[in-house]
Structures are given as C-alpha cells and as structure tokens.
Amino acid sequence: MPQQKDIVKIAIQMPGAYPQLIQLDQKKPLSAVIKEVCDGWNLPGPDNYALQYADGVQTYITESNRLDIKNGCILRLTKAPGRCAEDLYKGIQSSDSGVRCDSLKELASVSTDVTFAQEFISRDGHLLLVKIVEDSHETAVIMTHTLTGFMELMDHGIVSWENLSSIFIKKIASFVNGKSSDASIQQVSLDILESMVLSSHSLFLQVKHEVTMERLIAHLQVTNQQIQTKAMALLMALLQTAGDSDRQEMFEFLNKKNLRQYIYKNIIHSSGSVQDEMAHYLYVLQSVTLNHLEPRMKTPLDCYSQEQRDILHGLRQAAFETESENSLSHERRRSLCAKEFKKLGFSNNSNPGQDLVRTPPGLLALDTMFYFAARYPDAYSRFVLENSSREDKHECPFARSSIQLTLILCEILRIGEPPSETGSNYHPIFFSQDRLMEELFCVCIQLLNKTWKEMRATQEDFDKVMQVVREQITRTLSSKPTSLELFKNKVNALNYSEILKLRQTERLHQEETLAPPVLELKERLKPELLELIRQQRLNRLCQGTMFRQISSRRRQDKLWYCRLSPNHKMLHYGDVEEDMENPPIETLQKQIPVADIKGLLTGKDCPHMKENKGKQTKEVLDLAFSITYDVEEYSLNFIAPSRTDFCLWTDGLSVLLGREMSSESMRSELEILLSMEIKLRLLDLENVPIPDSAPVVPKPPSNYNFCYDFSQTEQ
C-alpha cells in the first residue's frame, strides 16, 4: 500500500479523448504509469508514448524529474522523444519542401527539451542541420528554422562547439556580414556566433577573423532592436574573451569612431525587455573597458625601475621651481628631494616609492597623479603649493590623498571585478568621456582639497575627509550625470554642509520609519545619555586646555591655561610656558567663581572679536568664545586650539550655566550612543551571561617588534 506522500493527483490529456484523472504513484516505474494511461484509452504500443507538461514549458516527464510533479498538474500523453526524433529526422530529409519546413519548425520548438535533444543528437541530427547550412540551398524561412533548431540543440551542451567545421563558421559569418541577408537569419546567426566566442579562444579567433568590427557596428545602427541586441551581445562576448592586445585593438577602434557615445545614444531609445537587456550590455561594456586598468592597479611600484623613479621626480619638479640640482652635492640634493617629497604629501619622503607599493591602487595611483600634473599643470601646482606652504597642521597631503582617492574610485567603478551576469548599473558619463578614470580623478582631487578646507581638517581627520569625498562622488554618480562637466558642477555643489544636511534628513527619515516601541525606547534613553555627555564635558574642563592669546604686537602668541576645579565651583587660569603640558591647579593664580559667570558668547559676538573686527579670519571666528562675569563688565576670552575643543568647552560651560548643550559634536555623540544603546537593548541576550565587572586586561607582550617604526617617515 503506497504511502499518502507518494501519491500525486493529476490530470492527463490527449487530443480527441476525455482527460483521465489519476493518482500517480511516485514509487511505480514511469513505464508502468504510461502503460496504464494507454490502456485507459485502448492505445497499443505504450513504448511509443511519453508524458509531457501541458502548460508552460512543455518538458518531457522522466524518472529524474518526475518528483517535480505537484498535485493538480495537467500532463499530456504525446509521442515518445525517441519516436519524435526519428520522425523529424526523416521529415527534414524529405524531398517535399513543405514537409521539410514543417519538420524544421517543429524541431526548433521541441529542441528546447533536453530529453528530445539527446535522442535527436544520438541520431546525428545536428550534423544534418550543419549540412543544410553549409549547402545553403534552402529558403530563408527553412534556414531560419534550421538555425534556430541548431542553436537550441547546442544550448544543452551535449555537443562541443569546437567540433564545428570552418566551412560552417564561415557560412554563419556570411549571414551576419551579408547586407541583404534576412533579418531573422541574421538574428539567429549573431546568437550562434556569440556562443562560439564564449566557448573557446580558438573559436574567438575564427569569429574575429570572419566578422569585421565595422560590420558588427553597422548592425547597431539598424532599426531592428532584436538585431541591435544580438549584435551588442556578440560585441560584449568578443571584448570579454579577447586577450590584452586584441581587446586594446577593439578599444582603440571604438574610441576612434566615437562609437561608445553612439552606442549609448542609440540604445537609450530601446524599449521594454530589449532596454533591460541593452542596459546589461552597456554595463558589461563599461566593466570590461575599465578593467583594462586592473593590471596597473595590482602592480606595485618597482623602486628599481628608472622610468617610474623619473615619473616620481617629474611630479616633484613640476610642483617646485628648484635651483639646478646638478650643481648640488649628493647629500644636499638628497636632502632637498626629501624635503620636497614631504611637501608633496608622501609619507616616506626619503623613499616615496614605498607609498606606492600597496596594491591596490599600485601604479594606477602614480598614473593618475602624473596625468593630473601633465593635463592640468596650473591646478596641480596650485594644489601642492597652497598646502605645502601652510604651517598650521591643516595642509592636505597631495600624494597620500591621491593614493587613497585612486583606491576609492577603483572601488566605486568596480575596477578589477568581472561583470556579473545580471548587472545593469552603468554610468552614462562613461559613454561621453575618454579616459574616465583619469578625468574623474582630476575633478575629484580638486574636490578633495575643497572639502578638506570646508571641514578645516588636520592630518588626524584624513579618514573622515575621505569618507565625505567618497559620499560626494557616490551620490553624484547615482544621479547619472551624462557628461564630465555636469558631474563636476554637481559634485562641487554637494559641499560638506550639504552632505551634513542630507545625512540629517536621512537620519530623520530613518527615525520616522522606526517602529513606535523603538522610538519610545529612544526617548527614554536620551536623558541618561545626555547626562553621560554632560559629565564627560565637565571632566574635560577639569583636565583643562592650553589656549593661545593672539596678539598683533607680539611675535609669538602668548600661552595660557584654564581648567575647572574638581568641585566645579571655580575656573582657574593663568599664563604658562610652552613646555608645560598639564600645569597643576595651584600654579594657576587667577580664578573666577562659576557662580559669577553671567553669560557665554561665541564667534563675532565675543569682545575680543569685536575689538579686531575685520582682522580675524573665519577660522578664528569659528573657534572664539568668551564668558562674561560680574554684571557683564568683565570677560574671559578664548580661542580654542581646534573645533573639537571649542565644542567641548562651550558644551561644558553651558552645563555649568544650566543651559542645554548645542554643539554639533554633542549631537553626533548622542546619535552614536543612542544607536549603540538601542542595538544592545534589541539584542537577543536570553541565556547569555553578562559579567558584572570588566574583563581582566591581559599582560603586555614580551616585546613590541610588531609596532610600526615611524622614524623613517619623520626623516
């Protein structure tokens, strides 16, 4: 007795007969099931029949796929694949052209089934189709059915493409090259050639020899979208399969004829499913073209290569007008080079080639720097000289920035990644711009310098700046600019303040989409975390900070120190020497009771900024703050060493005055703490033991040989 799970209830149809409703026992041999069905209709010779799906893809039912049959399926009793293959094999050889045409038409339809394909190929039916093509005596309709059937049979991978004769390949190529060929024949022929190219390098060479690039491009210019699509597919297959020299030859041809621009403009007018397919081919063309930069990206600089050393020194000489180096001694020349490489932004100024050993970006970073210096010498000199002359730790290092920017562009453009089979995300700018990587670099390195200044960044902020620049580039490219000029305008308009606004908007939108319980949890956590930030600010004021008192009458700025007393009741301050890092509170002779502080002023409202109105830079204004005391007749004026110190002190003083903290640093820290706390609260920690005390700090290592030696960098 079969188990219930082995029984499938199905319907079986046959033309001219009432359907049979049966319970298919999956344990019973398929031949026995077919015999029972034939007996139900009194049909002799059950071996001549097979079951097939009646709807959708009409696949033959075999022992290997019968378990896919579900309850309610409708099957059809039809000719067995072997009998069908035999009948079609004979029909194709009929002297009656009508019979041949009908047989080949049916063959094109049933060849999609692998079971039938195996039967037909076992009779050498595919060779019969090859002979029809080679003879080329048939009409266009018969030839179309022949080629379609052949393509369907070969798609199963039963027979190797490499077994095909050169005569057959030339004949297929002639269908593609012929200007008067039937459109349907050309379409299938392009399909066949694509499969040949993708199957082996030897076939790639034959197809490349037989089908000219000019003729292939001509197919992209026709109005038939199907032919356009197939021609584009063959072009992509040729590019993907080609070796470096062949691919470079094709790229030069495409660039010489401005064909990338033409292809893009022609294809964006495609419609429906063709447009989706074309989008994929545009993506592949972009990917394959950009990937020719991969070898440079993965090759480190060779410190023994005279050519590469000359390029490095060319960058240095293009930036600095130096005295004749030949007249200098070896040591003097070496010292001068090291000094100028340091100004150029190399970390290892005595041996700058070491900065380019990391891969990626490898030699590609050297290529982009050299391209910028050669293509835009004025912009290059302005960038380097502007930053090398600064002495306030706000200089933007050109070389270090260039290396990291090249890496970012490689990641954004996915250089080195093979194109995916389903990818369709391409950049329209690629089709309007030669040397896209280099030109994007030239725009973005100047953007980086601009963003660096907007953020008032120091060397410690390098990674933060690079994150903002990556976001600027990614957001701009996502808007699909169609030209380099449009990209340049958009990315420069997306300044640092705009990025902050966008982040804030997205954060608010994200909060709006949170579930109400999460929002409620967030509001409950805020007071506790704000108190944590308040305590941190007060602790920071107790530690104190060294300030500079800017004076136009002194050659050197005066240094003074200010700190809050441990009981938070008194501000102590006084002049100090530069070598005194953390003076004891007893040495600070002056003091102001916190109870006497009346107000906190910032920026241009500060008394010391009003006294020097028009003389202070925006940078100094953004760091200035003052406290007023004793009925606002007196003030203590500050200029913070950095924006971070400005935020810490203004927040801390606000806490002392009983006001709300309002700095951007406080908002950022609160957001980070809230996000982290919510994630921790939402973790599934059931049965996970949480220790009451912090884990024991491990003992120090026996040596520190793994630490990086900065001594070479500082030379």
Side-chain angles (χ1 to χ4, degrees), residues 480-546:
K480 303 291 184 184
T482 54
S483 68
L484 186 69
E485 191 62 31
L486 194 57
F487 171 83
K488 184 177 180 180
N489 293 337
K490 286 189 173 184
V491 80
N492 281 298
L494 195 61
N495 54 36
Y496 180 52
S497 61
E498 286 296 318
I499 289 289
L500 292 179
K501 288 177 186 176
L502 287 169
R503 287 177 176 176
Q504 179 67 13
T505 302
E506 289 167 0
R507 192 180 297 119
L508 291 172
H509 177 71
Q510 189 178 13
E511 288 179 358
E512 289 172 2
T513 58
L514 290 174
V518 177
L519 289 174
E520 184 181 343
L521 175 60
K522 195 170 185 179
E523 290 303 315
R524 286 172 54 190
L525 290 172
K526 265 187 183 179
E528 178 185 341
L529 297 177
L530 280 170
E531 182 58 32
L532 182 65
I533 296 174
R534 288 190 195 98
Q535 291 302 318
Q536 187 270 339
R537 297 300 195 257
L538 293 174
N539 290 339
R540 184 67 182 80
L541 264 60
C542 289
Q543 292 175 14
T545 304
M546 182 90 72

Side-chain angles (χ1 to χ4, degrees), residues 8-25 30 32-41 43 49-54 61 69 72-78:
V8 182
K9 296 178 181 179
I10 59 172
I12 300 179
Q13 298 175 337
M14 187 181 74
Y18 289 108
Q20 294 187 41
L21 300 176
I22 68 168
Q23 293 187 352
L24 174 63
D25 183 1
L30 197 57
V33 174
I34 293 172
K35 185 177 185 308
E36 289 180 5
V37 172
C38 289
D39 290 344
W41 281 318
L43 295 174
Y49 294 95
L51 292 175
Q52 187 181 54
Y53 286 106
I61 305 299
I69 300 172
C73 274
I74 301 176
L75 304 182
R76 180 173 61 203
L77 188 69
T78 186

Side-chain angles (χ1 to χ4, degrees), residues 248-405:
Q248 188 60 38
E249 180 186 331
M250 289 187 226
F251 287 150
E252 289 173 2
F253 178 82
L254 290 172
N255 291 332
K256 183 179 178 182
K257 302 285 186 179
N258 291 323
L259 289 172
R260 277 194 295 166
Q261 293 90 323
Y262 173 80
I263 289 169
Y264 172 70
K265 290 177 182 177
N266 204 38
I267 284 171
I268 57 173
H269 298 299
S270 304
S271 58
S273 59
V274 174
Q275 188 178 38
D276 295 337
E277 199 170 346
M278 282 299 197
H280 170 69
Y281 294 136
L282 290 175
Y283 154 78
V284 173
L285 177 58
Q286 171 188 288
S287 179
V288 173
T289 306
L290 290 174
N291 276 350
H292 83 281
L293 297 170
E294 183 181 6
R296 299 291 287 179
M297 182 184 76
K298 292 186 175 179
T299 304
L301 184 135
D302 181 3
C303 294
Y304 297 100
S305 167
Q306 186 62 46
E307 179 187 359
Q308 293 170 18
R309 290 206 305 271
D310 288 345
I311 293 174
L312 276 172
H313 283 284
L315 287 172
R316 177 182 63 82
Q317 290 163 351
F320 306 105
E321 293 182 5
T322 57
E323 54 190 294
S324 178
E325 296 177 5
N326 296 329
S327 61
L328 301 176
S329 66
H330 177 71
E331 287 301 319
R332 174 80 180 109
R333 185 174 183 274
R334 185 177 178 183
S335 174
L336 177 66
C337 290
K339 182 180 178 181
E340 290 180 344
F341 276 125
K342 185 175 183 180
K343 287 183 177 180
L344 204 53
F346 284 95
S347 300
N348 195 326
N349 52 300
S350 60
N351 186 8
Q354 289 296 321
D355 288 24
L356 294 159
V357 169
R358 184 185 63 165
T359 58
L363 285 177
L364 188 56
L366 182 62
D367 295 341
T368 53
M369 284 190 282
F370 182 73
Y371 183 89
F372 179 49
R375 185 93 164 82
Y376 305 98
D378 292 341
Y380 170 68
S381 298
R382 187 164 56 249
F383 185 115
V384 176
L385 296 177
E386 177 185 310
N387 287 286
S388 62
S389 61
R390 301 186 70 169
E391 298 179 357
D392 54 2
K393 297 185 179 180
H394 288 276
E395 69 276 3
C396 177
F398 171 75
R400 184 185 177 193
S401 300
S402 297
I403 293 167
Q404 190 62 27
L405 177 61

Side-chain angles (χ1 to χ4, degrees), residues 4 17 81 131 161 284 286 299 361 394 402 564 569 614 653 703:
Q4 192 65 31
K131 188 173 187 308
W161 286 94
V284 173
Q286 171 188 288
T299 304
H394 288 276
S402 297
L564 180 66
K569 291 184 178 181
L653 291 169
N703 64 69

Side-chain angles (χ1 to χ4, degrees), residues 388-610:
S388 62
S389 61
R390 301 186 70 169
E391 298 179 357
D392 54 2
K393 297 185 179 180
H394 288 276
E395 69 276 3
C396 177
F398 171 75
R400 184 185 177 193
S401 300
S402 297
I403 293 167
Q404 190 62 27
L405 177 61
T406 304
L407 178 61
I408 287 173
L409 288 173
C410 287
E411 292 170 353
I412 291 174
L413 297 175
R414 299 183 179 278
I415 296 174
E417 294 183 23
S420 72
E421 294 182 3
T422 57
S424 61
N425 185 22
Y426 63 88
H427 300 294
I429 190 176
F430 166 79
F431 297 92
S432 65
Q433 184 63 54
D434 294 333
R435 305 200 70 167
L436 177 66
M437 175 67 181
E438 291 88 343
E439 289 293 342
L440 276 182
F441 172 86
C442 293
V443 173
C444 294
I445 192 66
Q446 295 175 79
L447 167 75
L448 191 153
N449 189 37
K450 173 174 167 284
T451 302
W452 186 283
K453 289 186 284 188
E454 290 170 353
M455 296 175 67
R456 296 183 294 277
T458 63
Q459 294 292 330
E460 290 75 19
D461 301 314
F462 182 83
D463 291 336
K464 183 180 178 182
V465 174
M466 298 312 298
Q467 288 172 4
V468 173
V469 170
R470 177 192 286 271
E471 189 172 344
Q472 289 171 314
I473 298 170
T474 305
R475 286 181 182 273
T476 305
L477 285 176
S478 67
S479 69
K480 303 291 184 184
T482 54
S483 68
L484 186 69
E485 191 62 31
L486 194 57
F487 171 83
K488 184 177 180 180
N489 293 337
K490 286 189 173 184
V491 80
N492 281 298
L494 195 61
N495 54 36
Y496 180 52
S497 61
E498 286 296 318
I499 289 289
L500 292 179
K501 288 177 186 176
L502 287 169
R503 287 177 176 176
Q504 179 67 13
T505 302
E506 289 167 0
R507 192 180 297 119
L508 291 172
H509 177 71
Q510 189 178 13
E511 288 179 358
E512 289 172 2
T513 58
L514 290 174
V518 177
L519 289 174
E520 184 181 343
L521 175 60
K522 195 170 185 179
E523 290 303 315
R524 286 172 54 190
L525 290 172
K526 265 187 183 179
E528 178 185 341
L529 297 177
L530 280 170
E531 182 58 32
L532 182 65
I533 296 174
R534 288 190 195 98
Q535 291 302 318
Q536 187 270 339
R537 297 300 195 257
L538 293 174
N539 290 339
R540 184 67 182 80
L541 264 60
C542 289
Q543 292 175 14
T545 304
M546 182 90 72
F547 295 95
R548 288 185 181 273
Q549 183 175 337
I550 298 177
S551 173
S552 58
R553 290 174 294 181
R554 293 176 61 90
R555 282 190 171 184
Q556 193 170 5
D557 296 340
K558 190 176 179 181
L559 296 176
W560 62 287
Y561 203 88
C562 185
R563 67 192 305 171
L564 180 66
S565 62
N567 61 6
H568 302 170
K569 291 184 178 181
M570 198 74 68
L571 270 180
H572 297 263
Y573 66 99
D575 296 342
V576 293
E577 297 299 327
E578 193 163 2
D579 57 351
M580 189 177 292
E581 290 186 3
N582 192 11
I585 199 166
E586 298 81 16
T587 63
L588 304 175
Q589 301 299 321
K590 300 175 184 178
Q591 54 191 30
I592 300 173
V594 171
D596 290 348
I597 299 176
K598 304 301 179 185
L600 171 64
L601 304 173
T602 60
K604 60 185 180 182
D605 295 329
C606 298
H608 57 319
M609 294 295 104
K610 288 180 178 179

Side-chain angles (χ1 to χ4, degrees), residues 632-687:
E632 302 188 10
E633 291 184 6
Y634 300 100
S635 65
L636 183 61
N637 302 316
F638 300 77
I639 295 177
S642 67
R643 188 67 186 174
T644 301
D645 288 304
F646 174 86
C647 293
L648 290 170
W649 272 84
T650 53
D651 282 345
L653 291 169
S654 295
V655 172
L656 291 175
L657 293 170
R659 300 176 184 175
E660 294 292 329
M661 297 179 291
S662 59
S663 73
E664 66 265 22
S665 178
M666 180 279 297
R667 291 192 294 271
S668 174
E669 290 169 24
L670 178 62
E671 193 61 41
I672 292 169
L673 290 170
L674 275 172
S675 175
M676 183 170 61
E677 191 68 24
I678 287 174
K679 287 174 183 176
L680 288 172
R681 296 288 182 98
L682 296 178
L683 280 175
D684 184 9
L685 296 177
E686 189 175 352
N687 299 324

